[in-house]
Amino acid sequence: MNTMTDEQIRLVDLYWQAANYLGAAQLYLVDNPLLLEPLSPEHIKPRLLGHWGTQPGLNLIYAHLNRLIRDTDASIMLIVGPGHGAPAILANLYLEGTLAEYYPNLKFDLPGMKEFVRQFSIPYGMPSHLYPGTPGMIHEGGELGYCLSHAYGAVLDNPDLIAACIVGDGEAETGPLATAWHSNKYLDPASSGAVLPILHLNGYKLSGPSLMGRMSDEELNSLFTGYGYRVRIVSGDDPGPVHRDMWEAVDWAYQSIRSLQEKALSGNDIERPAWPMIILRTLKGWTGPKELDGVKIEGTFHSHQIPIADPATNPEHMQALENWLKSYHPEKLFDATGQPVPQTVAICPVGDRRIGKNPHANGGRFLTPLELPEYTDYKVDVPAPGATKAEGTRELGKFVRDVFVKNESERNFRFFCPDETTSNRMEHIFEATERAFLWPLVEDDEYLSRGGRVMEILSEHTCQGWLEGYLLTGRHGIFACYEAFIPIIDSMLNQYAKWLKVSREVEWRKPLSSLNYLLTSHVWRQDHNGYTHQVPSFINNIVNKKSTVARIYLPPDANCLLSVADHCLRSRDYVNLIVASKQMNPQWLSMEEAKAHCARGASIWEWASNDDGDPDVIMASAGDVPTEEAVAATWLLRRELPDLRVRMVNIVDLFTMISRDDHPHGLDAKVFADLFTTDKPVIFAFHGYPRVIHELLHHRPNPQRFHVHGYLEEGRTTTPFDMRVLNQISRYHLAINALRRVDRVKAKAGGIIDKFEERLAAHRSYIKEHDQDMPEIRDWKWSPEAVPVK
Ligand SMILES: Cc1ncc(C[n+]2csc(CCOP(=O)(O)OP(=O)(O)O)c2C)c(N)n1
Ligand SMILES: [Mg+2]
C-alpha cells in the first residue's frame, strides 16, 4: 500500500477539488465550463435543478475509495444512498474516464466538458438522480432507504466483492434503512463479500437537522456497536486532517474486512463477525458558499439543493457563484483543452477496477441460467377434476428444494422470506439448505446455519432490498410472503419496476433474472388470523406497472403452480407475481392439462361446462379459492337447472384479460371472443378487488356484461366458506347472479334462487352453532353428474 505522505494527501485533495468543481458546474453551466471567460448570464442554465449539499461528502468518499482501490486492487462497487447527489457521482465517473466509454460525447476535451456540464438535468440529458444509465451503479437513491439492503444483497455469494455503501444521515431515519443494519447477521465472511457502510453524517436533511447529526460520537458508537459493527468516526471541517483520517479509516476498514475473511476462510469459526463501518461527520455543502444575503449556507440544510438560486438575474449572486466556482481553481486542475492535468487524476484506478466499470454493477453479464429440475416430475396425480386435494405451496417446496440442489455449485439462487418459510408450508426447502444466520446458535434452533441460503428476517423491506441487490448483480431468487403484508414494500416495488423499465432502454444493461413473488397465506384463508390478514392489494399495484415489466399469475391448483413457477424462474427482466394458497385445496388439472392451460393463460374447462359451444352464461374465475367456488357454482346450476348452458373459463395469467394493445399477454380479440363470446353475460369470480378486472376489461366487447365478484373488504376470524359468503363470492352468490342474467330461464330461476338464498341463511346459522362449515360445503366434491346431495 502507498504510505500516506503529504504529497499523496495533496493528490487526493486535488482530485476532490476537481470533482467538487465539476459537481457544482453541472448545476449551473451551459457553457464556459472551465471559466476561461468571465461568467455571464448566457453561461447559466435557464432552470437550475439538482442538489449540492451532499456532493462534497460523496466526492470525498469516492476519492478515498479510488485511492484504496489503486493501492489494493480491490473490487469495490459503490452504492450511493443519496442518489440526489448524482452530479457528484457523474463528476467522478467523468474524471476516471468511464463515463466517456459509455457516452462518447462526454470526452476529456473542451466540447466534451461543455457537453458534460450542459446536459445534466436538461430534458433527455442525465436525470437529476442516479439511474440505470449511470455506469457502475445498481442503485438510484431516488426514494431513500434501500441502499444498505441493496449492498448486502449484492455481496451475497460474491466473495471477491466489497460494496461501499454511502448512507445519508437523513436516509438513516427511514424504516427500511434502520432495519437493514441487521444484515450483518447474515453475511458469511467465508463465502460472501463484504459491505462497508459509510454513514454520511453531514448533519442535515432537506430542511432540517438529521437525528444522527445531533447524536454525540459516543451515542453513535454505542448504537452501531450494538448493531454489531466496529465503528470509526472521521470528522472535521479542515480538509487536510479529514483526508488523513479518512485515508486511515478506509485502510483500517479494508484490513478489517480482509482479516475477517481470511480468518473465516482458514476454517476459524466466526461468531458475531464484527464488520467495520465508517461515520463521516463533515459539513453539508462543504466548500460551497459560506453564506448568501446573510443566510448561512455551508454546514446547513440551505445547501441541500441550489445554494445560489438566481445568478443570471442578480449580479451580486452571479459574483458569488463565480467566486465559488473559481475557489476550486479549475485552471490548475485542467489544461486549456479540457484535459485534467495528470496529478488531478493520479489517484484513479484503471480498467475494470474503476468504480464505473465494476462488472458486478451490470449483473446481467454474470447471469448463469438456473438449472431447473423437470417440474412435471413434481406433479400431483389428478385422475379426475377435483378427485384429489393438495397443498400447492408444499408441492412447490419440493421443486424449490431441488432448485437449490441443482444449483449448489453455482451458488446463485436464494429464497427470501419474512419469517414464514415453514408457515407458508415450503419447509421441504430445508431438506436442501437452511436459514442463514451468523449470530450465536443454540441447541433448539431449527434450520439455522452459517451457510444457509434461505434469507429470513421479519422485515419485508430488507427481504425485498436483499433480493433486488442479489438480482441486480446477476443472480436468481424468490420472495415468499404473506399476501396481506407484501404491500409494505409497494413503494420499493414501484422503484424496482421503474429501474427495470429504464434499464431496458439502456442498451448496455444486460437482462436480469426476474423478481419473483410468491404470495401465499392469502386473503381467502385466514381462518386463525382474520381481518388484518386479508389484503389482496398487491395485485392492484402490479397491474399499474409497465406492460414490459409486469406479470400476474393466479394458478388454480398445484400443477398449474408448478408450471407457472418454472416459467417465472426462466424469465428475465419481469416482476412476476404468483398468488397461490398453501391450504388443502381441490386439484383440477392433470399435469399435461395444467401445462397446456398455463401456456394459453386462460381456457375453457370443458369438463365443467355444458354449453355445447353456445353458452347462456359464462362462469369465469381467477385464483384458487374463487375457482373452487366458480366450479361449485357450475355444479349447482347443472344440478338444479340442467338446460342452462354454462361455460366455465379459468384464467391463470391475469393479463390475458386486457387488450393486446395494452399488454403483450392480452388475448387477441378472436381468442377472447372464443372464450367469452362478445355478448353473453360473464360471472367472474376473482381473487382480489373486483375493480381490477373491470379496469382490465375496459376495451373488450361489451364490458358491462362482466359481473365481477371479489374481495369486498369484508372479513373477520371466521370459517373459510363464511369469508366467501361475506364477500358475496360463494358458489350460491355466483349461481344466483348467473340465474338472474339469463332471460331464457327467468321463469324457472326464481325458485332456485330462493333455494340458494335459503342455503345461505342455513350457512349463517350453522356456523354460529357448530363453528365450522356445513357438511355440504366441507364435503363437497366436484362430480360430472352433479347428483343432488341428499
Ligand atoms: C423516502 C424518501 N422520502 C423523502 C424524500 C425527499 N428527500 C430527498 S433528499 C432528502 C433529504 C435527505 O437527507 P440525507 O439523507 O441526509 O442526504 P444528504 O444530506 O446527503 O443530502 C429528502 C427528505 C426521498 N427522496 N425519499
Ligand atoms: Mg444529510
Side-chain angles (χ1 to χ4, degrees):
M1 262 195 218
N2 258 316
T3 41
M4 183 173 54
T5 60
D6 288 349
E7 175 56 10
Q8 294 285 341
I9 291 293
R10 195 181 72 82
L11 293 178
V12 173
D13 189 63
L14 216 54
Y15 176 89
W16 183 52
Q17 300 288 339
N20 285 342
Y21 173 72
L22 289 175
Q26 286 169 80
L27 301 179
Y28 286 101
L29 303 182
V30 279
D31 204 350
N32 195 16
L34 270 180
L35 302 184
L36 299 175
E37 302 165 37
L39 199 56
S40 66
E42 69 269 19
H43 301 144
I44 306 294
K45 295 186 177 187
R47 299 183 313 139
L48 298 179
L49 303 167
H51 300 80
W52 163 249
T54 194
Q55 289 198 47
L58 302 188
N59 287 334
L60 189 112
I61 294 164
Y62 207 119
H64 283 270
L65 292 174
N66 273 346
R67 196 281 306 169
L68 180 77
I69 296 168
R70 218 184 144 97
D71 283 353
T72 60
D73 200 35
S75 171
I76 294 188
M77 171 194 274
L78 182 62
I79 297 194
V80 183
H84 49 282
I89 302 308
L90 291 168
N92 286 281
L93 295 169
Y94 182 74
L95 285 170
E96 71 185 20
T98 49
L99 202 58
E101 290 176 24
Y102 292 89
Y103 301 96
N105 57 335
L106 306 180
K107 278 196 282 295
F108 277 154
D109 54 24
L110 270 186
M113 188 187 268
K114 175 178 158 181
E115 180 58 9
F116 171 64
V117 297
R118 187 193 74 85
Q119 57 80 50
F120 171 74
S121 86
I122 68 168
Y124 304 97
M126 295 279 179
S128 64
H129 287 62
L130 298 174
Y131 84 120
T134 321
M137 299 294 131
I138 63 162
H139 175 87
E140 292 181 282
E143 185 166 278
L144 302 169
Y146 316 139
C147 59
L148 199 54
S149 52
H150 279 172
Y152 276 98
V155 304
L156 287 171
D157 303 317
N158 261 336
D160 70 321
L161 184 63
I162 296 176
C165 179
I166 307 178
V167 181
D169 51 354
E171 175 173 34
E173 295 172 18
T174 65
L177 198 290
T179 183
W181 295 111
H182 285 298
S183 308
N184 58 358
K185 296 167 184 72
Y186 296 79
L187 206 60
D188 176 11
S191 57
S192 283
V195 172
L196 171 58
I198 304 171
L199 179 62
H200 184 204
L201 204 77
N202 59 16
Y204 289 90
K205 306 181 288 234
L206 182 155
S207 64
S210 68
L211 300 180
M212 288 187 184
R214 299 289 160 96
M215 286 166 71
S216 67
D217 286 2
E218 199 189 351
E219 286 166 335
L220 291 168
N221 236 315
S222 303
L223 176 66
F224 290 106
T225 308
Y227 277 126
Y229 292 91
R230 293 172 66 208
V231 185
R232 184 122 171 185
I233 299 179
V234 174
S235 64
D237 55 10
D238 181 358
V242 169
H243 282 315
R244 282 176 186 281
D245 286 355
M246 191 64 177
W247 179 303
E248 282 177 359
V250 296
D251 273 359
W252 162 83
Y254 180 73
Q255 277 153 12
S256 308
I257 287 169
R258 289 298 182 232
S259 89
L260 256 175
Q261 292 175 330
E262 276 157 26
K263 225 164 125 188
L265 280 172
S266 63
N268 286 312
D269 203 12
I270 294 191
E271 196 173 82
R272 302 175 194 269
W275 299 96
M277 72 171 284
I278 295 172
I279 298 177
L280 178 65
R281 199 194 274 273
T282 50
L283 298 174
K284 186 148 183 167
W286 197 11
T287 74
K290 292 215 176 310
E291 54 138 77
L292 194 71
D293 301 332
V295 176
K296 203 173 156 215
I297 307 259
E298 186 189 37
T300 76
F301 63 85
H302 289 297
S303 68
H304 181 67
Q305 290 183 347
I306 300 291
I308 302 172
D310 56 352
T313 52
N314 181 327
E316 253 178 60
H317 290 182
M318 178 66 96
Q319 192 56 55
L321 175 61
E322 188 165 25
N323 294 347
W324 169 23
L325 293 176
K326 285 200 158 165
S327 72
Y328 301 110
H329 297 287
E331 72 287 356
K332 292 188 187 158
L333 303 168
F334 303 92
D335 67 22
T337 70
Q339 298 274 342
V341 298
Q343 291 192 331
T344 304
V345 288
I347 62 163
C348 287
V350 292
D352 273 6
R353 284 298 185 236
R354 291 171 297 173
I355 285 171
K357 269 288 169 109
N358 192 295
H360 294 283
N362 189 3
R365 286 175 54 182
F366 290 98
L367 189 64
T368 310
L370 283 175
E371 211 181 300
L372 293 177
E374 175 51 50
Y375 72 89
T376 56
D377 292 348
Y378 301 81
K379 70 178 180 208
V380 173
D381 270 329
V382 183
T388 22
K389 286 193 164 192
E391 296 163 312
T393 51
R394 195 179 298 284
E395 303 307 320
L396 182 68
K398 298 175 194 167
F399 174 73
V400 176
R401 170 196 63 203
D402 294 344
V403 178
F404 277 111
V405 172
K406 283 209 169 260
N407 297 278
E408 200 172 340
S409 58
E410 280 290 332
R411 304 178 54 74
N412 60 350
F413 178 65
R414 286 190 183 248
F415 190 80
F416 300 79
C417 187
D419 184 36
E420 298 152 4
T421 307
T422 50
S423 163
N424 289 334
R425 305 196 182 155
M426 301 281 285
E427 60 259 52
H428 280 294
I429 289 175
F430 295 133
E431 292 159 17
T433 185
E434 295 187 292
R435 292 174 290 187
F437 199 59
L438 268 287
W439 245 236
L441 300 174
V442 303
E443 217 176 286
D444 309 329
D445 285 335
E446 289 182 13
Y447 312 130
L448 278 189
S449 74
R450 304 269 137 92
R453 308 189 60 73
V454 173
M455 304 293 288
E456 281 204 355
I457 182 172
L458 211 176
S459 160
E460 285 77 5
H461 291 116
T462 308
C463 289
Q464 172 80 17
W466 284 342
L467 176 53
E468 289 179 3
Y470 201 59
L471 297 174
L472 287 162
T473 46
R475 285 76 66 71
H476 311 261
I478 296 175
F479 183 176
C481 191
Y482 276 20
E483 186 187 38
F485 306 125
I486 196 71
I488 289 175
I489 58 83
D490 261 6
S491 204
M492 291 182 82
L493 187 269
N494 293 342
Q495 300 301 324
Y496 191 72
K498 286 178 194 296
W499 176 279
L500 285 182
K501 186 249 180 200
V502 178
S503 288
R504 284 166 167 262
E505 296 157 12
V506 175
E507 82 5 77
W508 46 266
R509 286 265 171 208
K510 301 283 179 238
L512 301 171
S513 187
S514 301
L515 171 47
N516 301 311
Y517 291 102
L518 172 66
L519 302 190
T520 179
S521 304
H522 66 46
V523 52
W524 297 109
R525 289 304 302 271
Q526 290 298 337
D527 310 3
H528 76 263
N529 288 312
Y531 194 41
T532 54
H533 287 51
Q534 296 161 355
V535 187
S537 74
F538 202 55
I539 293 174
N540 299 55
N541 188 359
I542 309 266
V543 154
N544 290 316
K545 297 293 168 262
K546 267 310 212 206
S547 62
T548 46
V549 168
R551 303 289 183 265
I552 301 174
Y553 300 99
L554 294 150
D557 66 7
N559 285 336
C560 290
L561 173 60
L562 285 160
S563 170
V564 163
D566 175 82
H567 173 80
C568 291
L569 287 172
R570 292 174 195 279
S571 71
R572 300 287 178 261
D573 277 348
Y574 296 148
V575 172
N576 293 313
L577 171 60
I578 307 173
V579 188
S581 171
K582 65 181 182 185
Q583 304 288 347
M584 253 323 161
N585 282 324
Q587 302 298 301
W588 308 114
L589 304 185
S590 71
M591 186 48 98
E592 280 315 302
E593 290 163 343
K595 202 171 171 177
H597 181 47
C598 293
R600 286 194 292 265
S603 44
I604 298 174
W605 283 5
E606 300 285 357
W607 51 268
S609 307
N610 63 338
D611 64 310
D612 287 331
D614 178 24
D616 292 311
V617 62
I618 293 148
M619 191 66 67
S621 69
D624 42 33
V625 165
T627 297
E628 182 180 1
E629 291 310 304
V631 169
T634 66
W635 182 91
L636 284 172
L637 290 168
R638 198 183 297 188
R639 187 180 65 169
E640 300 295 336
L641 191 57
D643 73 325
L644 179 70
R645 294 188 303 275
V646 183
R647 174 183 291 174
M648 173 74 211
V649 176
N650 182 260
I651 295 102
V652 183
D653 175 346
L654 196 61
F655 280 114
T656 53
M657 293 299 96
I658 202 170
S659 145
R660 175 69 67 86
D661 295 339
D662 296 325
H663 195 288
H665 286 199
L667 295 177
D668 79 29
K670 158 97 178 49
V671 178
F672 189 85
D674 287 346
L675 295 184
F676 295 105
T677 72
T678 53
D679 54 359
K680 294 292 160 52
V682 182
I683 312 301
F684 198 127
F686 176 51
H687 176 88
Y689 293 103
R691 264 173 234 150
V692 171
I693 300 297
H694 288 301
E695 192 180 317
L696 292 175
L697 292 169
H698 186 66
H699 292 293
R700 294 299 189 181
N702 293 314
Q704 72 284 358
R705 72 197 159 101
F706 285 79
H707 307 283
V708 185
H709 296 239
Y711 183 59
L712 300 176
E713 246 345 295
E714 289 295 336
R716 57 197 309 129
T717 305
T718 186
T719 69
F721 190 66
D722 194 46
M723 269 301 292
R724 304 168 200 187
V725 172
L726 285 173
N727 290 283
Q728 300 170 26
I729 195 178
S730 79
R731 56 201 68 184
Y732 297 118
H733 288 94
L734 300 175
I736 290 169
N737 203 352
L739 289 167
R740 287 197 173 128
R741 303 287 163 188
V742 182
D743 287 343
R744 192 172 71 74
V745 297
K746 265 228 157 100
K748 293 185 200 158
I752 304 171
I753 291 174
D754 289 348
K755 196 166 167 185
F756 291 162
E757 299 276 17
E758 181 273 317
R759 293 323 296 152
L760 284 169
H763 155 79
R764 288 186 194 101
S765 48
Y766 187 92
I767 58 166
K768 281 186 200 146
E769 197 180 330
H770 299 278
D771 185 26
Q772 61 177 337
D773 288 321
M774 300 185 294
E776 70 197 63
I777 301 297
R778 272 187 283 136
D779 303 335
W780 176 80
K781 246 186 159 179
W782 163 260
S783 57
E785 301 81 19
V787 182
V789 179
K790 296 263 172 346

